[in-house]
Amino acid sequence: MARFISIKIDLSKIDESRIFESQKTGARYLDITGVLTDTPDKYENNGFVKQNSTKEEREAGLQLPIVGNFKLLKILSDPGAPVSAQPIQPSAPVQSDDLPF
């Protein structure tokens, strides 16, 4: 089953000091987390994206800015089927006790 999510990130909000390089491949990465909200916002976004903080930063209460948002677009049982840009509603709220914030 194919799932499609449209993600937009405001690059001006990225803390570039948090970009790290893989020692194996040299590829550059940024750790981010997407948070699915219970209801869409006024722009029909289903959630937001934050840069990940360290355990020490979380314990100190540091809140990193939201750097983007996302929309759930479509769930397809046939991955070869055409994709429509119609947002879908999440079927149930996602609850997790292991979120870093």
Side-chain angles (χ1 to χ4, degrees):
M1 183 180 314
R3 294 174 173 88
F4 297 90
I5 301 170
S6 173
I7 303 169
K8 293 183 181 175
I9 298 194
D10 182 344
L11 297 178
S12 67
K13 293 183 179 179
I14 298 293
D15 177 353
E16 292 188 29
S17 70
R18 295 179 179 275
I19 296 172
F20 63 95
E21 189 170 308
S22 165
Q23 295 199 5
K24 286 184 177 181
T25 65
R28 295 174 37 148
Y29 292 94
L30 175 67
D31 282 334
I32 59 174
T33 297
V35 179
L36 181 64
T37 56
D38 291 335
T39 57
D41 65 15
K42 66 181 180 179
Y43 303 106
E44 298 184 10
N45 294 311
N46 299 104
F48 58 90
V49 179
K50 294 183 72 160
Q51 286 183 228
N52 292 347
S53 55
T54 65
K55 179 180 178 183
E56 294 79 16
E57 290 169 334
R58 288 188 302 276
E59 289 173 352
L62 176 67
Q63 292 290 321
L64 294 176
I66 292 173
V67 297
N69 53 58
F70 63 87
K71 291 181 183 183
L72 304 175
L73 295 179
K74 190 86 169 169
I75 298 176
L76 298 175
S77 56
D78 175 10
V83 178
S84 123
Q86 296 299 317
I88 60 168
Q89 300 299 320
S91 56
V94 174
Q95 294 181 352
S96 176
D97 293 334
D98 62 346
L99 289 177
F101 41 88

